[in-house]
């Protein structure tokens, strides 16, 4: 279901115009971000990092991991799949692997996720996605061999060489 | 011969582990070095292991070098953000520390400062990727250039026996793609299960892209055995191993544990793609010589290591 929605929500001119409109008005942005928070918290345990990884993590939020690991589980997962830090919880990556594998998407978990931009916490990741600010959040192994882990959109910050 | 050279030559590499002291002196490291100097290629210096405060890993690494050991500086993502991690790599490299082992790190909850703020700004894959880019592209994570770049041999860790099992070899693949050149694993007591993981590793060709050193420990007491089986997440102690160690009297367990470790080293050495072993014996360093001697891994005066299992008389790889 989420994977079907993923196709509908892919960036296009329509989404781009709509998101630009929402982005421009502070009130609309607040309303939109609030709606995203409500739905995604309810459905996926979203933490509003503002740079969503759900499409390639079996729709399990990696930021729910106590170590916020975006590239897979740590080595402390219990034999029953429990979280090492909070044993009453299931490891989000065990959950992610099972859900992705059940949809034939286990290969998604091989992608390498770049470090997140900690300034984006609390922002709407949908707006960031449609506005192209989320580009290159992850890359495949061949890409990682060629590129550094820096996010392409970091260029906005004009780091002086 | 450095660790990197030993591995590149196809020789059987041996690493061990030291926990730096809780105190402002490096003397304990110099003492431990006596047990290890003639037996191992390099020694891991842990980074506040188990989230307990100890002398820092870079300082411990310098002390190890002064005591005649080649260090593997462990670096966790728990206590430092991306700024501090990159800065520490530059410092370590400038001072001659070549081997760096990257890991996510234990959660602070398990240590002596459970109320500490967990950092985890980067994860282990991202840190490996960052360090590789610093070395090879001469560039920081910010995009700024570095001059001169650091020189480092990058290591990672893996736990072959923790769920999700079908993903564990793939996860090592991500680390290799990010820059890992060698990997040390969590304790292996279940050699058969490790062999299955190695088959997956070979299927995706990782044994040809990085050196794999399984972790071997020596159980010293019943309490340690029970702790290992029941309390250490991700470690699997199979029933036959457990029964074997339970069956001997308490005062014989350390000896039997060392014998088991030696046999484990031998069995692991026979698995295709295993480049050496990592002896997880912190606190029990004096056992290293006995374990390696019994396993048939020896070093002659010229520094050539021969291994009863895998190398011929010329010291060449037996495969």
């Amino acid at each position: 279901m989420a994977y079907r929605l993923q196709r509908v929500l892919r960036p296009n001119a329509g989404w781009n115009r709509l998101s630009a409109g929402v982005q421009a008005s502070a009130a609309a942005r607040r309303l939109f971000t609030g709606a995203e928070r409500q739905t995604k918290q309810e459905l996926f345990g979203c933490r509003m990092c503002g740079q969503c990884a759900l499409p390639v993590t079996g729709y399990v939020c990696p930021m729910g991991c106590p170590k916020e690991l975006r590239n897979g589980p740590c080595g402390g997962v219990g034999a029953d799949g429990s979280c090492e830090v909070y044993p009453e919880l299931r490891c989000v990556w065990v959950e992610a692997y099972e859900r992705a594998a059940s949809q034939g998407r286990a290969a998604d978990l091989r992608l390498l996720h770049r470090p997140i931009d900690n300034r984006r916490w609390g922002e709407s990741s949908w707006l960031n996605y449609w506005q192209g600010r989320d580009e290159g959040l992850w890359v495949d192994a061949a890409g990682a061999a060629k590129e550094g882990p820096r996010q392409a959109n970091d260029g906005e910050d004009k780091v002086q060489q | 011969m450095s660790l990197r050279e030993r591995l590149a030559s196809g020789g059987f590499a041996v690493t061990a582990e030291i926990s730096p002291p809780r105190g402002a002196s490096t003397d304990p490291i110099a003492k431990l070095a006596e047990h290890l100097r003639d037996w191992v290629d390099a020694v891991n210096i842990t980074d506040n292991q188990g989230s307990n405060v100890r002398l820092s890993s870079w300082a411990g690494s310098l002390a190890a070098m002064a005591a005649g050991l080649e260090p593997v500086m462990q670096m966790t993502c728990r206590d430092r953000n991306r700024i501090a991690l990159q800065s520490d790599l530059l410092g370590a490299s400038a001072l001659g520390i070549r081997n760096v082992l990257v890991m996510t790190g234990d959660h602070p909850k398990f240590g002596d400062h459970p109320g500490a703020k967990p950092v985890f700004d980067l994860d282990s894959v991202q840190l490996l990727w960052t360090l590789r880019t610093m070395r090879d592209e001469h560039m920081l994570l910010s995009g700024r250039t570095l001059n001169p770049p650091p020189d480092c041999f990058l290591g990672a860790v893996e736990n072959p026996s923790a769920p999700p099992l079908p993903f564990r070899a793939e996860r090592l693949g991500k680390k290799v793609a990010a820059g890992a050149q060698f990997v040390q694993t969590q304790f292996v007591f279940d050699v058969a299960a490790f062999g299955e993981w190695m088959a997956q590793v070979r299927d995706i060709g990782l044994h040809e892209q990085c050196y794999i050193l399984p972790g071997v420990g020596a159980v010293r007491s019943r309490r340690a055995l029970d702790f290992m089986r029941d309390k250490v997440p991700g470690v699997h102690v199979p029933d036959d191993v457990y029964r074997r160690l339970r069956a001997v009297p308490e005062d014989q367990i350390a000896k039997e544990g060392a014998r088991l470790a030696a046999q484990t080293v031998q069995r692991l050495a026979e698995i295709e793609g295993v480049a050496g072993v990592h002896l997880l014996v912190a606190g029990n360093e004096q056992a290293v010589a006995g374990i390696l001697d019994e396993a048939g891994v020896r070093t002659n005066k010229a520094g050539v290591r021969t291994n009863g299992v895998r190398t011929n008389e010329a010291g060449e790889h037996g495969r």
Side-chain angles (χ1 to χ4, degrees):
Chain A
M1 156 69 186
Y3 286 108
R4 265 201 303 266
L5 207 58
Q6 191 179 325
R7 278 199 295 277
V8 178
L9 294 175
R10 210 163 271 162
N12 57 34
W15 291 121
N16 185 275
R17 260 200 308 281
L18 175 79
S19 60
V22 174
Q23 185 81 42
S25 147
R29 201 167 61 230
R30 261 202 307 280
L31 204 70
F32 188 86
T33 307
E36 177 175 341
R37 175 175 291 142
Q38 284 293 324
T39 21
K40 280 169 69 181
Q41 254 170 15
E42 193 63 39
L43 287 171
F44 310 114
C46 167
R47 305 289 162 119
M48 292 299 285
C49 69
Q51 42 228 300
C52 197
L54 286 171
V56 291
T57 58
Y59 283 94
V60 179
C61 178
M63 304 315 267
C65 162
K67 299 179 185 172
E68 296 179 353
L69 300 182
R70 283 174 81 97
N71 277 297
C74 76
V77 184
D80 57 354
S82 59
C83 171
E84 177 187 18
V85 183
Y86 302 109
E88 65 279 12
L89 301 177
R90 274 199 104 206
C91 166
V92 299
W93 282 102
V94 169
E95 195 87 19
Y97 182 81
E98 285 174 4
R99 284 206 211 164
S102 74
Q103 300 293 315
R105 301 284 296 252
D108 286 351
L109 302 191
R110 288 184 212 149
L111 297 165
L112 281 86
H113 291 248
R114 299 174 194 275
I116 64 163
D117 182 339
N118 281 288
R119 293 168 297 187
R120 299 216 182 278
W121 282 94
E123 290 181 6
S124 161
S125 76
W126 287 339
L127 292 180
N128 286 338
Y129 178 53
W130 288 322
Q131 291 289 302
R133 282 189 294 263
D134 260 10
E135 262 166 49
L137 276 180
W138 50 78
V139 64
D140 63 15
K146 289 195 294 259
E147 298 168 33
R150 181 172 175 233
Q151 281 188 33
N153 61 16
D154 258 8
E156 288 168 19
D157 314 324
K158 296 190 184 69
V159 175
Q160 290 172 3
Q161 293 289 318
Chain B
M1 190 182 265
S2 69
L3 174 64
R4 196 191 319 208
E5 288 162 351
R6 171 82 68 201
L7 289 164
S9 74
F12 191 79
V14 180
T15 55
E17 183 177 276
I18 284 182
S19 297
R22 188 168 59 236
S25 166
T26 55
D27 292 348
I29 292 177
K31 284 208 189 73
L32 293 176
E34 289 166 23
H35 298 295
L36 301 171
R37 203 179 290 123
D38 298 331
W39 290 94
V40 302
D41 293 299
V43 178
N44 286 36
I45 310 295
T46 58
D47 176 10
N48 298 300
Q49 191 174 21
S51 308
N52 296 298
V53 172
R54 301 281 188 135
L55 183 134
S56 59
S57 175
W58 65 264
S61 295
L62 291 183
M65 283 162 70
L69 290 172
E70 181 179 329
V72 177
M73 182 177 81
Q74 297 197 178
M75 214 175 199
T76 73
C77 300
R78 178 192 57 230
D79 308 318
R80 288 168 283 181
N81 67 9
R82 60 190 81 178
I83 297 172
L85 288 165
Q86 293 179 91
S87 162
D88 279 356
L89 179 79
L90 293 179
S93 187
L95 295 171
I97 298 167
R98 290 287 165 264
N99 310 309
V100 178
L101 186 82
V102 170
M103 54 181 76
T104 303
D106 290 312
H107 195 275
K109 184 186 157 185
F110 299 106
D112 56 4
H113 294 71
K117 180 167 186 167
V119 179
F120 302 116
D121 184 28
L122 303 182
D123 64 27
S124 52
V125 171
Q126 293 161 349
L127 180 55
L128 282 163
W129 197 359
T130 300
L131 301 185
R132 191 200 75 201
T133 305
M134 289 170 72
R135 184 192 61 200
D136 295 350
E137 314 299 327
H138 308 187
M139 202 183 274
L140 293 171
L141 188 46
S142 67
R144 280 189 164 171
T145 49
L146 279 171
N147 184 30
D151 174 16
C152 48
F153 186 47
L154 295 173
V157 296
E158 188 47 271
N159 184 352
S161 59
L165 295 178
F167 183 59
R168 285 290 162 180
E170 301 274 13
R171 182 170 176 263
L172 176 59
K174 290 179 77 162
K175 292 185 175 186
V176 170
Q181 296 164 288
F182 68 97
V183 58
Q184 296 170 325
T185 79
Q186 180 58 285
F187 288 101
V188 175
F189 287 104
D190 191 339
V191 178
F194 177 80
E196 285 166 28
W197 177 74
M198 277 302 297
Q200 294 173 29
V201 164
R202 288 194 302 270
D203 280 347
I204 45 180
L206 295 176
H207 64 306
E208 285 160 353
Q209 298 168 54
C210 83
Y211 302 106
I212 298 168
L213 290 83
V216 177
V219 173
R220 281 192 294 170
S221 66
R222 282 204 179 137
R223 214 171 61 98
L225 177 65
D226 287 339
F227 184 80
M228 192 69 76
R229 189 184 67 159
D230 303 327
K231 293 273 158 53
V232 185
V235 174
H236 180 233
V237 180
D239 289 341
D240 59 329
V241 168
Y242 185 77
R243 276 198 303 270
R244 171 174 165 182
L245 291 172
R246 282 299 287 205
V248 297
E250 177 72 38
D251 62 343
Q252 296 289 313
I253 287 198
K255 209 171 150 204
E256 189 64 16
R259 188 173 301 138
L260 175 72
Q263 290 164 356
T264 305
V265 169
Q266 286 176 326
R267 290 176 64 197
L268 289 169
E270 287 169 14
I271 297 175
E272 187 191 345
V274 168
V277 285
H278 178 48
L279 297 177
L280 290 154
V281 289
N284 188 20
E285 290 79 1
Q286 60 279 9
V288 165
I291 292 170
L292 292 174
D293 191 52
E294 190 166 343
V297 179
R298 299 206 175 80
T299 312
N300 70 19
K301 280 183 185 150
V304 175
R305 172 156 315 106
T306 53
N307 173 341
V309 183
R310 295 217 318 170
T311 49
N312 60 28
E313 279 178 358
E316 284 164 359
H317 209 274
R319 259 193 298 196

